């Protein structure tokens, strides 16, 4: 649909007159966009408290409260060196604790755990269980003792992913307002945690009088990253140097250099990370999948030879608890060593799904699990009801194996359904935003070119919408024009209105920051707006180019992880379970045949002495691990491994992006569960037919 440019200009001029009383000067508009008053008037202390409450995870705040209580109950002082180190960690992660509080928390947790461990001995009378619980108590102690450092490492890994955006947003904002305080506040409002909390703390320290200027407060904060993120420090120094540069072109060159410095550093660091990533991934694959699953093939036969010395509960604890935790920490360490990248998570997407919906999705997941697991529970309860010993029931009842496979299928499919349903809306919105952000640099370049021709911003936006039909960018600017023409909004209102603004449907921090800069620069002149848009367009293209380069560097490693999670792990596990069924059935058949030979030998009426078959019966089939129990251990372990590999894949690719993780884990659990269950059922059925034909005695 074409538009008469002259009539549109007249219409816009009339609307500007009608809404003239709504227009405010430049400083008040900044206040409206950023919720920012005049410098020094914002209560950053209150802002910081709100930010901290909203952005720190529940687990972190619970730990903070627990440690504070333990510090009062049992104050323990550590060495001066360790307290100094812990104090630095606590300051960085914004925990209001003393170093001795963290040590007290670990000691109190150890004492409580030991008390429960000793109590378990009097309750169960098992030395093995008590020893395991005592070992777990020591694990809890060392875990809590090193928890501040671990939180710091996680904080650092998350924050480093946001360095590029922090530099980019600072440059974008200072293109239209060279005020460092407002730029810091702008970053804190547009970045996701944890870096947003760091920047509001910078302003708080300045307002509290700790530092005489925002630049001094920023300089103190940058010391945290010395030796860890030197490129970020250098980029921020270049930006602050531009404030003192009287030559405008020189100032712009410094900001351009700041952007180039951080992007080049990301590219170099990721190149080294990609090369060093092969060995840890192979280690996780061998230690987490190949060796453990292959060793499981020996369990049925070893159990038959060694009797009750190998219990199912020990195998379960080792594989499904101990080994899974070891693989989890190995994957965690791989991600913590990941250098700074480019975060793609927007604050508006993290809490997109309502809590009521999550409860409903959890209910659906439980319902799916119940449907698949009912046959297994009914068979077990039926055996208990008639007084049959469960080991004998699992060994003699072939159907119990297939019911146990359905039980594992219920776990995998229910988790897959929950993650997919709870993440579907945020994921669709994220893909929608990614689509518009991918083309946003070229779109704002077109917008900048039109503004350079002295075309009003409103008219230029309409033309952009007409020239990009069927695209997300076209839809975005069409929505802006609809607000302008049909709802009588100003340009600012059409974008930022809390009820009908276009950014409500497109909650992207990148788009919001660029549009905020655009609205303010338009008030100066179309030429200034044009220059700002063209510059930002080049910045966004550079960021996109680096991001695509990062994906190329990690492509081989990521395809390996994906293959392991979706195919290798379930296939190997399904084959191993099928072989275990074959081994168990063969042992059962051999036991029956030997019993038959023994009966025939003892009932022989010949004068020759009967053969004592019991002397060659060197294994006890009743002590072998039943196939259903073995399958449950393997199936649950594979679900855990697929979950861990999905976490590793999304972490290497996207950093700490919950939306991408949930999407990937839902897909992987679905594929791997179906593949594993099909191979386990079909393979065990075919191999059990072979086992049934084994005989030592002719008919």
């Amino acid at each position: 649909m074409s538009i008469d440019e002259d009539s549109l200009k007249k219409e816009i001029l009339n609307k500007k007159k009608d809404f003239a009383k709504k227009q405010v000067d430049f400083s008040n508009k900044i206040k409206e966009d950023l919720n920012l008053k005049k410098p020094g008037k914002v209560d950053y202390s209150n802002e910081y408290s709100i930010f901290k409450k909203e952005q720190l995870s529940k687990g972190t705040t619970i730990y903070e409260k627990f440690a504070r209580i333990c510090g009062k109950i049992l104050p323990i002082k550590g060495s001066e060196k360790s307290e100094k180190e812990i104090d630095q960690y606590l300051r960085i992660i914004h925990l209001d604790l003393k170093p001795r509080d963290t040590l007290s928390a670990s000691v109190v947790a150890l004492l409580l755990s030991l008390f429960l461990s000793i109590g378990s001995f009097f309750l169960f009378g098992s030395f093995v269980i008590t020893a395991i619980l005592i070992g777990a108590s020591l694990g809890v102690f060392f875990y809590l003792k090193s928890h501040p450092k671990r939180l710091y490492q996680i904080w650092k890994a998350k924050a480093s992913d946001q360095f590029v955006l922090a530099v980019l947003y600072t440059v974008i904002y200072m293109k239209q307002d060279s005020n460092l305080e407002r730029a810091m506040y702008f970053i804190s409002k547009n970045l996701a945690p944890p870096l947003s909390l760091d920047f509001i703390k910078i302003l708080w320290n300045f307002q509290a009088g700790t530092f005489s200027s925002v630049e001094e407060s920023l300089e103190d904060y940058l010391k945290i990253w010395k030796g860890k993120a030197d490129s970020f420090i250098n980029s921020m120094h270049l930006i602050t140097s531009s404030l003192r540069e009287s030559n405008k072109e020189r100032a712009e060159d410094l900001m351009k250099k700041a952007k180039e410095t951080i992007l080049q550093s990301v590219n170099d660091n990721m190149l080294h990370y990609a090369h060093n990533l092969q060995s840890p991934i192979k280690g996780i694959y061998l230690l987490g999948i190949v060796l453990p699953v292959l060793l499981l093939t020996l369990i049925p036969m070893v159990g038959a030879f060694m009797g009750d010395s190998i219990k199912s509960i020990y195998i379960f604890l080792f594989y499904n608890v101990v080994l899974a935790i070891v693989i989890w920490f190995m994957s965690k360490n791989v991600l913590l060593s990941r250098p700074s990248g480019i975060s793609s998570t927007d604050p508006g997407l993290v809490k997109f799904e309502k809590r009521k919906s999550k409860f409903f999705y959890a209910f659906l997941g439980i319902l799916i699990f119940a449907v698949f697991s009912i046959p297994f529970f009914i068979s077990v309860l039926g055996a208990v009801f008639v007084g049959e010993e469960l080991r004998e029931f699992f060994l003699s009842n072939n159907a119990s194996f297939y019911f146990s496979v359905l039980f594992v299928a219920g776990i995998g499919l229910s988790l897959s359904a929950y993650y997919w349903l709870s993440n579907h809306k945020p994921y669709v919105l994220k893909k929608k935003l990614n689509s518009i952000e991918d083309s946003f640099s070229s779109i704002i370049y077109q917008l900048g070119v039109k503004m350079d021709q002295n075309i009003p911003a409103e008219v230029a936006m309409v033309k952009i919408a007409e020239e990009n039909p069927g695209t997300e960018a076209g839809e975005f600017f069409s929505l802006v024009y609809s607000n302008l023409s049909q709802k009588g909004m100003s340009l600012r209102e059409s974008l930022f209105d809390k009820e009908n603004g276009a950014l409500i449907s497109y909650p992207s921090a990148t788009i919001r920051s660029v549009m905020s800069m655009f609205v303010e620069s338009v008030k100066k002149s179309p030429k200034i707006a044009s220059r700002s848009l063209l510059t930002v367009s080049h910045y966004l293209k550079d960021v996109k180019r680096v991001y695509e380069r990062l994906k190329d560097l990690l492509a081989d490693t990521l395809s390996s992880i994906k293959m392991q999670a979706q195919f290798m792990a379930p296939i190997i596990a399904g084959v191993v379970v099928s072989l275990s069924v074959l081994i168990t059935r063969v042992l059962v058949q051999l036991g029956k045949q030997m019993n038959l030979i023994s009966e025939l030998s003892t009932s022989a009426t010949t004068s020759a002495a009967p053969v004592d078959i019991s002397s060659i019966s060197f294994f006890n089939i009743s002590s072998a691990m039943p196939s259903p129990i073995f399958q449950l251990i393997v199936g649950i372990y594979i679900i855990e491994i697929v979950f861990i590999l999905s976490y590793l894949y999304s972490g290497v690719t996207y950093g700490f992006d919950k939306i991408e993780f949930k999407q990937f884990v839902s897909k992987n659990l679905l594929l791997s569960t179906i593949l594993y269950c099909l191979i386990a059922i079909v393979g065990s059925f075919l191999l059990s037919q072979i086992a049934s034909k084994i005989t030592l005695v002719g008919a």
Side-chain angles (χ1 to χ4, degrees):
M1 180 181 65
S2 61
I3 296 179
D4 187 342
E5 184 175 323
D6 293 334
S7 61
L8 184 58
K9 286 182 179 179
K10 292 180 180 179
E11 179 184 355
I12 292 171
L13 289 174
N14 290 332
K15 290 184 181 297
K16 285 184 176 180
K17 291 179 180 179
D18 294 336
F19 289 93
K21 60 182 179 180
K22 295 183 179 180
Q23 302 300 313
V24 292
D25 59 19
F26 176 69
S27 60
N28 285 334
K29 285 182 179 292
I30 292 179
K31 170 186 172 182
E32 182 181 337
D33 276 350
L34 302 180
N35 192 24
L36 180 65
K37 301 175 185 178
K38 293 181 179 180
K41 298 299 183 180
V42 179
D43 185 4
Y44 294 127
S45 176
N46 183 53
E47 291 276 341
Y48 175 68
S49 300
I50 295 174
F51 267 52
K52 181 178 177 181
K53 183 178 180 180
E54 292 178 348
Q55 297 185 7
L56 290 181
S57 65
K58 291 183 179 179
T60 302
T61 54
I62 291 174
Y63 170 76
E64 185 178 15
K65 294 176 182 178
F66 175 72
R68 190 177 294 117
I69 294 173
C70 293
K72 295 178 180 178
I73 297 175
L74 186 66
I76 300 176
K77 182 176 177 60
S79 65
E80 183 177 350
K81 181 180 178 181
S82 64
E83 286 200 351
K84 184 178 180 181
E85 183 181 14
I86 294 174
D87 184 63
Q88 184 182 18
Y89 295 150
L90 295 175
R91 188 168 66 92
I92 293 173
I93 61 180
H94 304 274
L95 289 186
D96 187 18
L97 291 173
K98 299 177 181 178
R100 62 188 63 183
D101 294 339
T102 62
L103 183 58
S104 298
S106 60
V107 173
V108 170
L110 174 63
L111 295 176
L112 292 175
S113 301
L114 289 175
F115 176 78
L116 294 176
S117 301
I118 297 173
S120 69
F121 176 76
F122 295 101
L123 183 63
F124 301 106
S126 173
F127 284 103
V128 175
I129 294 178
T130 303
I132 292 174
L133 291 177
I134 290 176
S137 301
L138 294 174
V140 169
F141 169 76
F142 288 110
Y143 179 85
L144 289 180
K145 188 173 182 294
S146 60
H147 195 53
K149 182 177 180 180
R150 191 177 303 104
L151 290 175
Y152 159 73
Q153 290 174 333
I154 295 173
W155 187 281
K156 183 182 72 171
K158 290 182 177 180
S160 63
D161 261 357
Q162 299 175 307
F163 287 157
V164 173
L165 292 181
V167 172
L168 180 64
Y169 289 167
T170 306
V171 171
I172 289 176
Y173 185 85
M174 293 183 68
K175 290 291 292 182
Q176 53 93 19
D177 181 15
S178 298
N179 184 291
L180 187 60
E181 179 181 351
R182 289 195 284 267
M184 296 295 99
Y185 193 75
F186 178 80
I187 295 172
S188 69
K189 285 295 187 181
N190 286 279
L191 277 182
L195 210 56
S196 55
L197 189 58
D198 288 351
F199 277 91
I200 199 68
K201 180 69 180 297
I202 291 172
L203 295 174
W204 181 46
N205 288 337
F206 159 63
Q207 191 178 66
T210 308
F211 301 98
S212 59
S213 66
V214 176
E215 187 172 347
E216 286 185 13
S217 183
L218 174 62
E219 185 64 31
D220 178 73
Y221 166 73
L222 292 176
K223 293 177 182 178
I224 294 173
W225 302 107
K226 188 175 182 180
K228 306 177 184 70
D230 291 333
S231 59
F232 175 62
I233 297 175
N234 294 335
S235 295
M236 296 305 294
H237 282 165
L238 288 170
I239 291 174
T240 54
S241 297
S242 69
L243 295 172
R244 296 185 292 271
E245 184 61 56
S246 58
N247 188 305
K248 188 174 182 181
E249 292 183 358
R250 174 61 181 164
E252 291 185 355
D253 288 340
L254 288 173
M255 287 193 285
K256 182 180 179 180
K257 181 64 176 178
K259 180 262 303 181
E260 293 174 350
T261 299
I262 191 69
L263 290 179
Q264 185 61 44
S265 173
V266 168
N267 185 75
D268 294 342
N269 291 337
M270 273 296 179
L271 178 61
H272 296 143
Y273 179 69
H275 290 163
N276 297 329
L277 196 59
Q278 297 293 334
S279 295
I281 297 301
K282 289 180 180 178
I284 291 173
Y285 175 62
L286 292 174
L287 185 61
I289 300 177
V290 178
L291 293 178
V293 176
L294 291 181
L295 286 175
L296 282 171
T297 58
L298 302 176
I299 297 299
M301 188 173 293
V302 173
F305 283 108
M306 299 183 64
D308 292 332
S309 59
I310 298 182
K311 296 183 181 296
S312 302
I313 185 63
Y314 300 158
I315 304 298
F316 174 83
L317 289 175
F318 176 75
Y319 275 90
N320 300 109
V321 179
V322 177
L323 189 57
I325 292 175
V326 170
I327 302 301
W328 170 261
F329 277 107
M330 288 178 63
S331 303
K332 196 89 169 179
N333 288 333
V334 171
L335 295 183
L336 290 178
S337 64
R338 182 178 183 267
S340 60
I342 300 175
S343 175
S344 57
T345 303
D346 282 313
L349 296 176
V350 177
K351 300 179 180 180
F352 184 80
E353 198 64 60
K354 295 181 179 179
R355 178 169 295 185
K356 291 183 178 179
S357 299
K358 290 186 177 181
F359 281 122
F360 176 69
Y361 299 145
F363 172 76
L364 290 180
I366 294 173
L367 188 62
I368 293 173
F369 170 73
V371 170
F372 279 88
S373 60
I374 282 176
F376 178 76
F377 285 123
I378 290 178
S379 65
V380 172
L381 291 176
V384 174
F385 181 75
V386 299
E388 185 176 0
E389 205 272 327
L390 285 181
R391 180 192 290 271
E392 296 296 331
F393 168 75
F394 285 135
L395 284 172
S396 60
N397 192 322
N398 293 337
S400 62
F401 173 81
Y402 301 110
F403 292 157
S404 70
V405 175
L406 290 179
F407 181 86
V408 172
I411 297 176
L413 296 179
S414 61
L415 289 174
S416 175
Y418 169 74
Y419 279 114
W420 188 85
L421 291 172
S422 62
N423 190 59
H424 180 63
K425 290 182 180 179
Y427 182 74
V428 170
L429 180 57
K430 187 174 188 294
K431 288 301 178 185
K432 177 181 177 182
L433 295 181
N434 287 344
S435 175
I436 188 174
E437 287 176 356
D438 285 343
S439 59
F440 199 59
S441 59
S442 61
I443 293 296
I444 62 174
Y445 183 84
Q446 297 175 34
L447 185 61
V449 170
K450 296 185 184 304
M451 294 290 295
D452 191 48
Q453 301 170 2
N454 285 321
I455 298 177
E458 295 85 349
V459 178
M461 285 186 168
V462 173
K463 288 184 174 293
I464 293 296
E466 286 184 344
E467 294 172 1
N468 297 273
T471 64
E472 291 295 343
E475 292 294 328
F476 172 74
F477 286 109
S478 294
L479 183 58
V480 175
Y481 173 67
S482 176
N483 289 339
L484 287 168
S485 60
Q486 298 179 16
K487 298 180 181 179
M489 294 182 174
S490 64
L491 178 59
R492 178 187 309 282
E493 291 170 335
S494 67
L495 287 164
F496 299 102
D497 186 78
K498 294 182 179 181
E499 295 182 358
N500 300 306
L503 288 170
I504 297 296
S505 302
Y506 296 85
S508 165
T510 301
I511 299 175
R512 172 177 288 275
S513 60
V514 173
M515 288 296 100
S516 175
M517 177 274 299
F518 171 68
V519 170
E520 298 308 331
S521 58
V522 164
K523 295 303 298 177
K524 297 181 179 179
S525 74
K527 290 288 185 181
I528 293 177
S530 173
R531 278 202 308 272
S532 299
L533 289 174
L534 294 177
T535 302
V536 171
S537 173
H538 291 303
Y539 290 168
L540 295 179
K541 284 182 180 179
D542 291 339
V543 171
K544 182 182 177 182
R545 184 165 53 251
V546 171
Y547 184 66
E548 293 299 326
R549 172 61 176 161
L550 297 184
K551 292 199 295 186
D552 290 340
L553 291 173
L554 299 170
D556 292 339
T557 301
L558 294 175
S559 63
S560 174
I561 300 174
K562 190 174 182 180
M563 180 68 69
Q564 293 172 25
Q566 294 182 350
F567 298 104
M568 297 302 297
I571 288 175
I572 293 175
V575 171
V576 166
V577 167
S578 301
L579 291 175
S580 73
V581 171
L582 173 63
I583 295 172
T584 304
R585 298 288 166 80
V586 168
L587 293 176
V588 171
Q589 288 297 110
L590 289 177
K592 291 179 180 179
Q593 295 297 325
M594 287 183 176
N595 289 335
L596 180 58
I597 293 174
S598 179
E599 292 174 2
L600 291 175
S601 66
T602 55
S603 63
T605 58
T606 61
S607 58
V611 180
D612 186 8
I613 300 298
S614 62
S615 63
I616 64 173
S617 182
F618 48 83
F619 61 86
N620 182 9
I621 187 59
S622 63
S623 299
M625 181 183 295
S627 297
I629 301 298
F630 179 83
Q631 187 282 138
L632 286 175
I633 294 174
V634 176
I636 294 174
Y637 180 71
I638 288 303
I639 290 175
E640 293 174 334
I641 287 297
V642 170
F643 187 91
I644 293 172
L645 289 176
S646 301
Y647 173 78
L648 181 62
Y649 179 92
S650 63
V652 171
T653 310
Y654 304 102
F656 292 86
D657 191 326
K658 292 183 178 180
I659 294 176
E660 293 292 345
F661 163 68
K662 290 181 179 180
Q663 180 67 18
F664 195 68
V665 77
S666 65
K667 180 180 178 181
N668 283 350
L669 282 176
L670 177 64
L671 294 175
S672 61
T673 300
I674 293 175
L675 186 59
Y676 165 76
C677 292
L678 286 177
I679 293 176
I681 291 174
V682 175
S684 61
F685 175 78
L686 295 176
L687 294 178
S688 62
Q689 298 303 309
I690 297 175
S692 64
K693 296 179 181 180
I694 295 177
T695 179
L696 297 178
V697 181

